[in-house]
Amino acid sequence: MHYNMVPSLYGGARNLKLQYIIEDPVLRDSQYSLLHQMNDVVAYCAKQLYEPNSYMKRKGGINFYKRLSDVSLKVTSRKNPYGIVEL
């Protein structure tokens, strides 16, 4: 779990919800970067939509994209219901 502790003018600190995530454009191992870890999971699950392995079939991993429907940008592709651009 990650926290965004922001000091308060009245003493103490509070955990504010993040609206944007910006990270330095450098090469780094994803184990040290939350943003890279999120991208790895999304890319892995995108591959599983087209070539599901037995584990993802058994655990219902194809439903991962349904959970992203509120935050995904679907206008990138009109042909794919998830907004994935297929070449």
Side-chain angles (χ1 to χ4, degrees):
M1 178 176 280
H2 291 269
Y3 297 95
N4 182 34
M5 299 308 290
V6 178
S8 174
L9 293 174
Y10 307 105
R14 43 192 188 144
N15 187 20
L16 296 179
K17 183 177 177 182
L18 294 176
Q19 293 180 348
Y20 303 100
I21 298 176
I22 300 173
E23 194 162 17
D24 298 329
V26 296
L27 296 175
R28 68 174 54 137
D29 192 333
S30 64
Q31 70 176 333
Y32 303 113
S33 168
L34 178 62
L35 185 61
H36 285 97
Q37 288 176 12
M38 289 187 299
N39 288 335
D40 287 348
V41 169
V42 171
Y44 178 78
C45 289
K47 182 182 181 211
Q48 295 303 312
L49 284 173
Y50 298 98
E51 300 172 12
N53 60 30
S54 61
Y55 177 81
M56 293 297 271
K57 286 179 185 176
R58 199 169 54 249
K59 296 294 183 178
I62 197 166
N63 296 323
F64 176 79
Y65 271 86
K66 291 179 184 176
R67 297 180 69 188
L68 293 176
S69 66
D70 292 339
V71 295
S72 62
L73 186 63
K74 296 183 184 85
V75 297
T76 56
S77 174
R78 292 185 181 147
K79 295 178 182 179
N80 188 293
Y82 300 114
I84 297 173
V85 178
E86 298 172 333
L87 301 176

